[in-house]
């Protein structure tokens, strides 16, 4: 049977006070008290989908690192289906999970599950995507998501030649036609990515350097439900046949995720762009990305996709494990941000990691030298 931690039910301040006094958390109803041996604890890890390799890597890294510390791990993927994720979490709780690590599909759809978790004294760690509208989110591990959006916009400007990789002014002045894409509106990150990007792009749209020829600049107009590659491809096809049927060209596309980027690139390729960024007379448009998925890293290496944002899922997993460990020991995890991530009910203490922009010329130093991908995987566009 589960050794409930009896910790999540404590208010954050009480918990902090207890931790500061070196005291133990209050034992939960019939629980093992605040500190339990890793061997006695089960950690439920709920990931959104296996269709994106990024989440497979996240799931594997979290599981591996927790098991290395002696925990038992119940890892589930929800196939991007909200009821499936809810059921999986319900089941984790029923089967005695002591701590939950959750990357939500819909950040607003898990209040019921979190309520049950709280009443069973199960701490909840929100993984990469903030769970919203619930007081029962104990900690958040992610990246600096506003900075991700800014980095994507800067990568777009770099690809167009308006900026250099080091941020200095480039030689190109425009005007350039661009189109904007955003992720799934039910993912809290989507808004941070888009706001971060628009923080950089809006002044250049205002001064005419960048022209969003479709006129679609609201997040609701450009969002792609569930981050689906096919939906992004379809929207890009519609833009090409609708907005760019007069002989004009789209020069750049802000894409917030590699899966969407590949859909966008397929649409552009089918319309005669490319195959590469240097093809003449009709070069591939500058397309950004995120996650350094292997298929996209190959496209960047081949000069087709312009950039991606690398978020080291190994490090994110490590932070989730550190947070879980802190809860297991009856402590509060150490946050490095306590004011940005308001989930609608409370500001969730967070640990945010930095990100890196990847272009063709730093695939080696950022992705291969760090052991994230091998040169062979990059050449094949497939993980081993
Ligand atoms: C976001 C995540 C991105 C990307 C996207 C699609 O929540 O932060 O890195 O993976 O989902 O899966």
């Amino acid at each position: 049977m589960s050794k409930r931690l009896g910790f999540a039910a404590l208010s954050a301040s009480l918990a902090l006070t207890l931790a500061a006094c070196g005291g133990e958390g209050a034992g939960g109803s019939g629980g093992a008290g605040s500190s339990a041996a890793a061997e006695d604890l089960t950690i439920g890890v709920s990931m959104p989908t296996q269709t994106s390799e990024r989440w497979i890597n996240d799931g594997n890294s979290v599981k591996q690192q927790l098991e290395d510390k002696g925990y038992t791990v119940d890892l589930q993927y929800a196939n991007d289906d909200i009821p499936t994720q809810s059921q999986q979490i319900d089941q984790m709780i029923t089967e005695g999970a002591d701590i939950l690590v959750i990357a939500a599909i819909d950040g607003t759809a898990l209040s019921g599950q979190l309520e049950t978790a709280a009443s069973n004294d199960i701490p909840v760690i929100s993984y990469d995507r903030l769970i919203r509208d619930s007081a029962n989110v104990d900690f958040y591990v992610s990246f600096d998501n506003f900075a991700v959006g800014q980095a994507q916009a800067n990568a777009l400007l770099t690809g167009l030649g308006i900026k250099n990789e080091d941020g200095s002014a480039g030689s190109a002045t425009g005007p350039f036609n661009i189109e904007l894409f955003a992720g799934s509106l039910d993912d809290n990150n989507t808004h941070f990515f888009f706001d971060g990007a628009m923080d950089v792009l809006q002044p250049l749209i205002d001064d005419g350097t960048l022209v969003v020829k479709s006129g679609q600049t609201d997040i609701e107009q450009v969002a792609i439900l569930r981050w689906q590659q096919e939906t992004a491809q379809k929207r890009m096809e519609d833009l090409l046949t609708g907005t760019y049927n007069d002989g004009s060209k789209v020069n750049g596309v802000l894409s917030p995720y590699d899966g969407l980027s590949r859909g966008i690139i397929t649409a552009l390729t089918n319309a005669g762009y490319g195959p590469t960024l240097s093809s003449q007379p009709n070069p591939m448009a500058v397309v950004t990305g995120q996650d350094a998925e292997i298929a996209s890293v190959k496209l960047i290496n081949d000069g087709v996709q312009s950039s991606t944002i690398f978020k080291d899922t190994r490090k994110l997993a490590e932070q989730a494990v550190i947070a879980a460990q802190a809860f297991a020991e009856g402590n509060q995890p150490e946050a490095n941000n306590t004011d940005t991530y308001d989930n609608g009910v409370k500001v969730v203490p967070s640990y945010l990691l930095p990100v890196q922009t990847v272009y063709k010329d730093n695939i080696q130093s950022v992705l291969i030298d760090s052991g994230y991908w091998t040169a062979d995987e990059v050449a094949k566009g497939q993980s081993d």
Side-chain angles (χ1 to χ4, degrees), residues 45-95:
V45 180
S46 171
M47 290 283 149
T49 177
Q50 275 175 305
T51 55
S52 157
E53 137 207 300
R54 170 240 141 141
W55 295 112
I56 300 175
N57 292 341
D58 284 272
N60 290 341
S61 295
V62 175
K63 185 173 189 320
Q64 184 67 53
Q65 292 182 35
L66 285 170
E67 286 178 348
D68 287 350
K69 295 206 177 319
Y71 296 96
T72 301
V73 177
D74 179 4
L75 168 64
Q76 304 285 337
Y77 291 91
N79 203 19
D80 257 342
D81 183 55
I82 299 164
T84 301
Q85 185 162 46
S86 306
Q87 278 159 20
Q88 288 175 339
I89 296 171
D90 283 337
Q91 194 164 351
M92 286 173 185
I93 297 172
T94 312
E95 289 178 357

Side-chain angles (χ1 to χ4, degrees), residues 236 240 262-276 282 284-285 299 304:
M236 191 69 231
L240 290 169
R262 293 195 295 277
I264 291 162
I265 287 171
T266 302
L268 289 163
T269 306
N270 292 343
Y273 286 77
T276 73
N282 194 9
M284 176 53 64
L299 288 176
V304 179

Side-chain angles (χ1 to χ4, degrees), residues 154-280:
N154 281 319
L156 178 64
L157 299 180
T158 302
L160 291 170
I162 297 172
K163 275 191 182 174
N164 298 316
E165 277 182 34
D166 65 6
S168 61
S171 54
T173 51
F176 292 110
N177 291 329
I178 64 161
E179 294 298 335
L180 310 171
F181 281 70
S184 199
L185 288 174
D186 52 12
D187 180 343
N188 193 58
N189 287 347
T190 292
H191 306 271
F192 279 83
F193 300 152
F194 193 72
D195 291 349
M198 291 311 268
D199 178 57
V200 174
L201 299 180
Q202 192 65 54
L204 297 171
I205 295 173
D206 292 343
D207 75 12
T209 307
L210 301 174
V211 178
V212 183
K213 193 159 185 279
S214 66
Q216 296 177 18
T217 54
D218 290 342
I219 193 166
E220 285 80 15
Q221 294 173 302
V222 306
I224 301 294
L225 183 65
R226 295 283 113 71
W227 300 90
Q228 290 288 317
Q229 176 166 342
E230 304 72 31
T231 314
Q233 181 177 336
K234 174 76 172 59
R235 176 164 181 259
M236 191 69 231
E237 285 165 359
D238 290 348
L239 288 167
L240 290 169
T241 51
T243 302
Y244 297 91
N245 61 1
D246 57 0
S248 59
K249 299 288 179 210
V250 59
N251 306 114
V253 182
L254 174 81
S255 167
Y257 159 58
D258 285 342
L260 304 190
S261 312
R262 293 195 295 277
I264 291 162
I265 287 171
T266 302
L268 289 163
T269 306
N270 292 343
Y273 286 77
T276 73
L277 289 154
S278 54
S279 300
Q280 292 302 332

